[in-house]
Amino acid sequence: MLGLWLEDLKLSLKDDLPRPARPGEALVKVRLSGICGTDLELARGYYPYTGVIGHEFVGEVAEAAEADWIGRRVVGEINAACGECEQCRNGRPTHCERRTVLGIVGRDGVHAEYATLPLANLHPVPDSVPDEAAVFVEPLAAALEIQQQVHIQPTDRVLLVGAGRLGQLIAQTLNLTGCDLRVVARHPRQKELLTSRRIRLIEEQEILPGRWDVVVEATGSPSGFDLARKALRPRGTLVLKSTYRGEMTLNLSPFVVDEITVVGSRCGPFEPALRLLERREVDPTPLIARRYPLAQALEAMEAAGRSGMLKVLLEP
Amino acid sequence: MLGLWLEDLKLSLKDDLPRPARPGEALVKVRLSGICGTDLELARGYYPYTGVIGHEFVGEVAEAAEADWIGRRVVGEINAACGECEQCRNGRPTHCERRTVLGIVGRDGVHAEYATLPLANLHPVPDSVPDEAAVFVEPLAAALEIQQQVHIQPTDRVLLVGAGRLGQLIAQTLNLTGCDLRVVARHPRQKELLTSRRIRLIEEQEILPGRWDVVVEATGSPSGFDLARKALRPRGTLVLKSTYRGEMTLNLSPFVVDEITVVGSRCGPFEPALRLLERREVDPTPLIARRYPLAQALEAMEAAGRSGMLKVLLEP
């Protein structure tokens, strides 16, 4: 089997990988996979991992214990949970203490011809949602995790810092709340995409400090964090929605004096993401910048790493 | 007038201070004042300030525009707000953008014979609450700010790290919620006080990591922060309830991966603090370690700075 393999911080395309098999799990034939910032970070050593990378996908069930799943077009939640630990028993399966995570922790990912996941992780894709939209369900769910954690009021003044791959999806979903949203975008293409959806931009120097009810940090950079922090009003909420590399030096006093709430935000709910795609309230497809055959995955990863590059897809 | 003066990081006892006067404000004769960690931090340069320090007090109204206030025993909220800025207009007067803060920002404090505050800041003290309890209303209100900001459920497993002056009051108020509370205390006297109220202690090495729903950090130290962070379960809430000096180096990734909420917490509501004292649900008086005449304020500050020292009071 062909797959994009990471080992000792080195990526390689292997064509002799065994087809993955895990007892009781479904085998999924990947139709499309998407390259995410976390894939790039893994290759840079953000977290030690050896195996096939990739966790955003749409595929087709090739083998499953329950016959009626076979042939279904599916997307899949990336955290495979034990169902028994304290986190699972308390309704937090994405935080399972013994979890494996597709293409991230102890489980081969989807930049390959096949991958496996428990049936419980799979969600059928409605016929009206094309592969090119379905492949975005995982990051779209991650965007929705913000509203799952933080009550965004329609009257809120909300600032989104960062308009890359994930930022674009966050902008689209936040915009649906009716809140007064402004987005800090760096690259012309990012700005174009937002403007085409009538999402309002703001230049960094126009941002009044201490005035925003909710600020979403989606750059992962210390300068983005700093900008986000300063924009927030007293008792405001700062949502951290990115992968942070290394350490940051912070003065915690202003967080206490201004009674700031900081919320870390990771994986989100798939069902509402699928609903929004089906209703066409969100359209991720203009985010697709490039599409490569899986055999050119190394070139694809390189392209995805370029500044301002939006979504790069792989086709096995 | 006698008062404890801070200037250029040097404390001195001055006996030639003018009696404070601010148009439209009440003049309060201080009966008792309490030395707080923030007083000690100010003297160490946490924040630039020149003037009389001190913000915890109980006093008696000596002069006021409304005659029926004169002679009343009062406590006072420390933030004097403008009533007009965006924060004030949105119901956040403790975050007023033009605020002065008693003994902390642009307003002489209460380690003196007299201080002034707007009438709107004053709260009459019920007769049944003695001066020795009323002098704790300000820090008790700060403790209650936790429940004002965070919904503590009776089923929550709550860890309090730090059992000093403020920590003791936090322990008493958290205990009233019925939550499963454990407190990390360092000094024998701190432990004794908690145990005497049937508040349960826990040793650092007994704390299971990743198991606590809410953790309150009340030490202000990097090691306390670290302990608090590690104790927290995924999606738990970390309350920062201390003065943090200087910068701290943090890896933000675990906050995102575990979807932690961090809440900075400062000044709180006076009315419920007075109610709890009146109902004797909280008893701060065993916290009083020493009592000095104001003329010995320098010795009192030195005593208050000793490790493990609980509340030191000044009597003008």
Side-chain angles (χ1 to χ4, degrees), chain B residues 162-315:
Chain B
R165 285 175 276 259
L166 183 55
Q168 293 283 338
L169 298 174
I170 295 170
Q172 287 198 31
T173 52
L174 283 178
N175 211 37
L176 298 175
T177 66
C179 73
D180 184 7
L181 174 69
R182 303 295 159 97
V183 183
V184 184
R186 209 163 31 160
H187 296 277
R189 178 67 185 141
Q190 295 174 347
K191 293 183 181 179
E192 224 174 86
L193 281 171
L194 295 167
T195 307
S196 74
R197 290 194 75 88
R198 291 168 301 279
I199 294 171
R200 294 181 69 178
L201 303 169
I202 189 166
E203 295 296 323
E204 225 178 291
Q205 59 275 17
E206 293 173 313
I207 298 171
L208 282 175
R211 281 290 178 277
W212 302 78
D213 301 298
V214 176
V215 182
V216 178
E217 203 301 296
T219 71
S221 70
S223 63
F225 184 90
D226 205 49
L227 176 66
R229 158 70 195 97
K230 285 187 182 138
L232 210 60
R233 67 157 167 86
R235 290 202 187 136
T237 299
L238 172 57
V239 180
L240 302 184
K241 195 76 220 184
S242 193
T243 304
Y244 290 86
R245 288 167 74 195
E247 304 210 305
M248 220 182 270
T249 301
L250 282 183
N251 183 350
L252 288 180
S253 260
F255 290 85
V256 175
V257 171
D258 289 344
E259 300 194 303
I260 297 302
T261 294
V262 183
V263 180
S265 180
R266 188 170 41 96
C267 295
F270 271 47
E271 288 298 343
L274 281 162
R275 282 196 291 270
L276 286 176
L277 289 178
E278 200 178 5
R279 293 174 196 160
R280 304 202 189 159
E281 297 292 351
V282 167
D283 180 10
T285 57
L287 291 181
I288 301 171
R290 306 267 177 103
R291 200 167 164 151
Y292 290 85
L294 178 60
Q296 290 174 32
L298 294 172
E299 292 91 316
M301 282 290 286
E302 213 219 290
R306 282 181 215 140
S307 171
M309 178 63 74
L310 288 163
K311 187 59 76 183
V312 175
L313 298 182
L314 290 173
E315 206 167 356

Side-chain angles (χ1 to χ4, degrees), chain A:
Chain A
M1 179 188 84
L2 192 63
L4 180 58
W5 187 261
L6 178 67
E7 189 166 352
D8 295 333
L9 297 188
K10 218 183 121 23
L11 282 172
S12 58
L13 195 73
K14 294 207 174 187
D15 61 4
D16 58 350
L17 293 171
R19 192 180 276 200
R22 284 189 182 238
E25 295 194 358
L27 182 74
V28 177
K29 188 175 185 315
V30 178
R31 291 165 67 103
L32 272 181
S33 66
I35 296 177
C36 161
T38 302
D39 297 343
L40 297 164
E41 291 296 338
L42 282 173
R44 289 178 195 137
Y46 162 65
Y47 187 89
Y49 173 72
T50 298
V52 174
I53 65 169
H55 56 273
E56 302 178 0
F57 77 98
V58 55
E60 213 174 276
V61 179
E63 294 171 17
E66 297 175 26
D68 57 341
W69 277 92
I70 294 171
R72 276 206 192 166
R73 205 161 55 103
V74 293
V75 290
E77 304 204 32
I78 71 175
N79 299 281
C82 73
E84 287 162 17
C85 72
E86 175 153 326
Q87 305 311 323
C88 285
R89 278 185 285 111
N90 285 285
R92 299 184 287 269
T94 60
H95 293 277
C96 166
E97 291 161 17
R98 292 193 282 269
R99 70 184 179 271
T100 56
V101 187
L102 192 65
I104 300 175
V105 182
R107 168 181 290 272
D108 283 326
V110 295
H111 297 325
E113 292 174 276
Y114 291 90
T116 69
L117 272 176
L119 270 178
N121 283 47
L122 300 183
H123 298 261
V125 177
D127 290 342
S128 65
V129 177
D131 285 352
E132 288 71 14
V135 72
F136 285 93
V137 166
E138 197 280 334
L140 183 56
L144 286 172
E145 179 72 352
I146 296 173
Q147 284 90 311
Q148 193 73 13
Q149 296 177 283
V150 178
H151 179 194
I152 308 282
Q153 295 180 297
T155 52
D156 279 343
R157 215 181 266 158
V158 179
L159 180 71
L160 168 61
V161 183
R165 285 174 276 260
L166 182 56
Q168 293 283 335
L169 299 174
I170 295 170
Q172 287 197 31
T173 51
L174 282 178
N175 211 37
L176 298 175
T177 65
C179 72
D180 184 7
L181 174 69
R182 303 295 160 95
V183 183
V184 184
R186 209 160 34 157
H187 296 277
R189 179 66 185 141
Q190 295 175 347
K191 293 183 182 181
E192 224 175 86
L193 282 170
L194 295 167
T195 306
S196 74
R197 290 194 76 88
R198 292 170 299 280
I199 293 171
R200 294 181 70 179
L201 303 169
I202 189 167
E203 294 297 323
E204 224 178 289
Q205 59 275 18
E206 293 173 312
I207 298 171
L208 282 175
R211 283 288 178 279
W212 301 78
D213 301 298
V214 176
V215 182
V216 178
E217 203 302 296
T219 72
S221 70
S223 63
F225 183 90
D226 205 48
L227 176 65
R229 159 71 194 96
K230 284 187 180 137
L232 208 59
R233 69 158 166 85
R235 290 203 188 134
T237 299
L238 172 56
V239 181
L240 302 183
K241 195 75 220 185
S242 192
T243 303
Y244 290 87
R245 289 166 74 194
E247 305 211 305
M248 220 181 270
T249 300
L250 282 183
N251 182 350
L252 288 180
S253 259
F255 291 84
V256 174
V257 171
D258 289 344
E259 299 194 305
I260 297 302
T261 294
V262 183
V263 180
S265 179
R266 187 169 42 97
C267 296
F270 271 47
E271 290 297 344
L274 281 161
R275 282 196 291 270
L276 287 176
L277 289 177
E278 200 177 7
R279 295 174 195 164
R280 304 202 190 158
E281 297 292 352
V282 168
D283 180 11
T285 57
L287 291 181
I288 300 171
R290 306 267 176 101
R291 199 167 164 150
Y292 291 85
L294 178 60
Q296 291 174 31
L298 293 173
E299 292 90 317
M301 282 289 286
E302 211 218 292
R306 283 181 214 140
S307 172
M309 178 63 75
L310 288 163
K311 188 59 75 182
V312 174
L313 298 181
L314 290 172
E315 204 167 358

Side-chain angles (χ1 to χ4, degrees), chain B residues 1-3 5 17-23 25-30 52 63 102 107-110 112-117:
Chain B
M1 179 187 82
L2 192 65
W5 187 261
L17 293 172
R19 194 181 276 200
R22 285 189 181 237
E25 294 195 356
L27 181 74
V28 177
K29 186 174 187 317
V30 178
V52 174
E63 294 171 19
L102 192 65
R107 169 180 289 272
D108 283 325
V110 295
E113 290 174 277
Y114 291 90
T116 69
L117 273 177

